[in-house]
Amino acid sequence: MEEKQHYLGSKAAKYALGIHRGPLPQDDGEGVAIEHVETANTISLEKREKTRAERARRHWARFWCCYIFWSLIFLAVFLPVFFTVIIPAIAQRVLDNASLVVTETSVMQPRPDSIMLSLKTALKLPIGVPVRIEPIAISLFNRKEKGNGTWAKVYLDGATIDGNTTLGIDNQFTPLNVEQWKEYVHSVVFEKNAPLSLNGKTTAYLGKLKNHVTMDKDVKQNSMFNDPFSKNILTTVPALNSFSGFSVADPQLLLPPREDGTNLIANATLPNPSVMTLEIGTTVLDLKSGDLVIGNATIDNLVLKPGNHSSPIHGIMDLKVLLKNLVPILQSQASSLKNGYLTLDTVGKSVVYDGVEVPYYTEVMRNLTMTAQVPLGGLITNTLRGILHDGNGANIFANLTDNSSSDSGSSGGGLLDLLGRSDKGLANMLTSRAVDELLNNPEKRSSMINVLEGFL
């Protein structure tokens, strides 16, 4: 046992590290080194930089109560704003960016202060999440009008909108603000594109989220020939556009006239390129050559369906006025006659539905002038055919035809051959020279007037 060193017995020695450690192991001379034992979880006195995670844990440990406090304050402020301002704004933006197109409209049973309205629209949201809406009251109005331009209100049932969804009403009785409705009808008839302005408020549900939204749109009417969600829909959407393309076909003068005075029949086409079906009623039109009224025409129970549909018309041509003013009429029609047709203007006079005048249609039609080119060859051919056939449709010159069939020079055979030709054949006979001779030769005019008077 080694002798204890003297300094280990002093008072200060008790504060020395390793006083009770004992002697260190010695090298046994066989190359056995002193054993070194590495210990874990020891505290190093060497300074080193802490990692980001260690700094974060230390910071959280010191200030966690502050973080919780300010988080509660933030949520107390943010959540009300999020649910009352941000979410409704997002929902409103989604609705504003939605595609809404009128795909079908029916305006039936027109009364002086009401209509029977059917309306179908295609709605497509820019999101792929189903949205449920509550029933909504929609105001239909004229956006250009100052103040309250509402002309009707319609009521839509609640629905779930998922993808392309059809919304609308079917045969809904609709009272009218007549003055505003008259303005809308005017725009539909006279303008090329007449949007339908609507406004309504409802509650929309996106899952459990409830939002109040406003539908305020100018809805374009789809063309009957277009995909409702075509990218070009805004450039190809027509309204009635003053019935551009109005035409009269198969005209015929009835000599003698019918018991009610009707002496003119024909077929009229009023083009309707929109998706609207309009029930108008019995429509009476004035027939004019220039500024002179030469008769009238009536379309019974007129219904404008999408597309080009012909409606039979009947009327009274005032032949006495026609003969009295034949020279100025021929002069005003000279260019048209040279091309084989008559140019007649039609102006609305009255519109009646179920025995009651419809004032808004009457006023609009009175301001509308439709010009038609009546084929002169067809008018003369159809008129002569009617004269040469009895009431049963039999040719009154049938016997004459049989007896004179062998005579190639017979005037009767030539007339019947002429009537058997197309309208174009007769129209070709009305050359510029023939018209000029008729206008400039009083004797020919007088002879024609005498012949026409003989039919009256």
Side-chain angles (χ1 to χ4, degrees), residues 70-103:
W70 288 111
S71 295
L72 293 175
I73 296 297
F74 172 77
L75 292 176
V77 174
F78 174 76
L79 290 180
V81 173
F82 180 76
F83 287 105
T84 60
V85 178
I86 297 178
I87 291 296
I90 294 175
Q92 185 64 54
R93 184 64 178 271
V94 168
L95 184 60
D96 292 341
N97 292 336
S99 299
L100 184 62
V101 178
V102 176
T103 59

Side-chain angles (χ1 to χ4, degrees), residues 33 36 51 62-63 74 78 139 144 185 208 254 282 310 312 328 332 344 364 381 383:
H36 295 278
T51 65
R62 294 179 63 188
F63 300 107
F74 172 77
F78 174 76
S139 297
K144 295 180 181 179
V185 172
K208 296 295 183 181
L254 303 179
T282 299
S310 295
S332 64
L344 295 181
V364 169
T381 301
T383 301

